[in-house]
Amino acid sequence: MAPEDKNDGKNDGKNDGKNGNGSIVTLSGITKTFYRGKEPIPVLEGLDLDVPTGSFEALMGPSGSGKSTLLNIIAGLDRPTKGTVKVAGSDLTHMSDGELAKWRSQTIGFVFQSFNLIPVLTAAQNVELPLLLTGLSSAERKKRVATALRVVNLEDRMDHFPRQMSGGQEQRVAIARAIVNDPKIIVADEPTGDLDRKSADDVLHLMEQLNKEFGKTIFMVTHDPAAAERASVQRKLDKGTLV
Amino acid sequence: MNLMTYARRNIFRRRGRTILTVLGVALTILIFSGMRTVVAAWEAGAEEARADRIASRHKNSIVMLLPKRYVDDVRAVPGVDSATYAVWFGSKDPKKRTEFFAGFAVDHESWFQVMDEFELAPAALEEWKRTPNGAVLGDLLAKTLEVKVGDRVTIQSDIYPGDWEFVVKGIYKPLRKTADRNSFIFRWDFLNNDPRGDVMRDQIGWVLSRIKDPTQSAAISKQIDTMFDQRDDQTLTQSERAFQLGWLGMFSSLLKAFDIVTLIILLVMALILANTIAMAVRERTHEYGVLRAIGFQPGHIVGFVLGEALLVGALGGLVGIVFTVLLINGVIGPAVEDGMGAWFPYFRAPFKVIAMAFGAATLAGVLAGAYPAWQASRRKVTDALRRID
């Protein structure tokens, strides 16, 4: 489905993309412990979280508070040591790595701090990457790429390589890549961290637009209070618990 | 765009490194092709052996002789069309213009009838048949020994003492590219009638028979060997190809050494490729993490790395083949044929060597990429995303 279409909340046609309580993310009793050798390092401790469908939430907190770990668990990149994770109607707790990868490709749109575009591919090819995992025809893929780039206002930069673009433009291409598959939720890890104020504003404005106009749920980790203010909900994580 | 686009674009991401790697692979392919060409040229005679010819030699060893009367017995075997014979002379040039050339004392009546890959003018053949001390030389040998028809030529032997003087009665040309152009052929009866040949009187080295039906080669060979089974000297009759390989078997240690060096070269090539691919994969750990995050499976990562390794290997192989064709087939080959024609009448990299070289380069690419690909695919996504080079 193209990004201009409103999300109908369905997940593989098997569920409504919600966890039964109107939330798109439901975390229960999440504990995450890392180990340095045999020494346990608790990062998240008994955390519960509900993110309503269609919300734009910002998660703040000091370095080492577990923000990125929480984001990785929501995005299906990491598993909790204890607790259950339900996102967009799917229980991620018992999914295999392969199932999680497939689920991510259909459900999650990623926006990273350092854009993470592939330098040898053009803007259009970078945006097309997630579509290679679908069975779409080349013509259909091109159509969707053009739509996604139009949403981020970079249609004219389609054939530019990342090195030929500014940081703000690169991040907008990354957002186009995140939405091209029409994900149910967009997770953003410090999306404005590497940008100047003006570019950061543009990116945040775009994210607001995706949330308000296209109904995308956005969960954003940020250090930047100005960025957090643009979200409809601000949460704070400290020492592994939400405060 | 398709999945291979990414692997293809990655090849020239570090242009200098890729060019050096491709050149490294190309040079090893050149050396590989050169060595395989030596082996192929060595075996070319056997490879192009005639299917309708069989050779009988002493059962115990190729250096042991057979009674000359055996030839008539072989000629009487049903299915044998014609037969000729020869004995090794062990020729040397007293003036040292060439280190080695083959010399045979042969049956002048039947030799060129059976060995029809050589072209000798009918008048020259008749003249040779009328001249007991007449000799017929390959065109390259005649050039090396600086003789022409009518000249006298003196050679020596490792086996028979003294100088042996002949009159050149003909110069043959090859009708097949691998046919030996450096042989010195003279009459067996001349050797047999000379007192210095007493030690081998009325004996021959081998019988070459042309058979009417090549599919009967094995049956006729068996029939010939059975015929001599109860005699003092038993025979071993083989297809001409097996017979030629028997000759080559005397140099098997050398060929084995070539095989070992060839394997080492392939190993070096794989290491060059493995180093490049391992560096590239390490540099792109974070990027592979991003791809995994957006949904690419570990198998895709394996495909990207192996695809890139295979393409670099194949590119190196192609450049190596261009080097091979230009250098071996264009420069070294003609020079070897001129200077060492006795050993290598035809010295060019054959298609099978070129195909083998290309296959080796691509296979080395895949092998070199296997471990880095496996490693890259197994890394946890979150670990890969944390890694920034």
Side-chain angles (χ1 to χ4, degrees), chain A residues 168-169 172 175 192 195-209 230:
Chain A
Q169 287 170 332
R172 277 150 62 198
I175 291 172
T192 56
L195 299 177
D196 58 54
R197 193 71 262 162
K198 166 79 177 67
S199 301
D201 276 345
D202 290 346
V203 165
L204 289 167
H205 175 71
L206 186 56
M207 291 174 81
E208 283 175 325
Q209 192 187 350
R230 308 286 281 267

Side-chain angles (χ1 to χ4, degrees), chain A residues 105-127:
Chain A
S105 73
Q106 295 167 343
T107 317
I108 303 284
F110 284 95
V111 181
F112 301 94
Q113 177 177 350
S114 48
F115 330 132
N116 288 340
L117 297 180
I118 307 293
V120 288
L121 301 180
T122 62
Q125 289 169 331
N126 266 288
V127 175

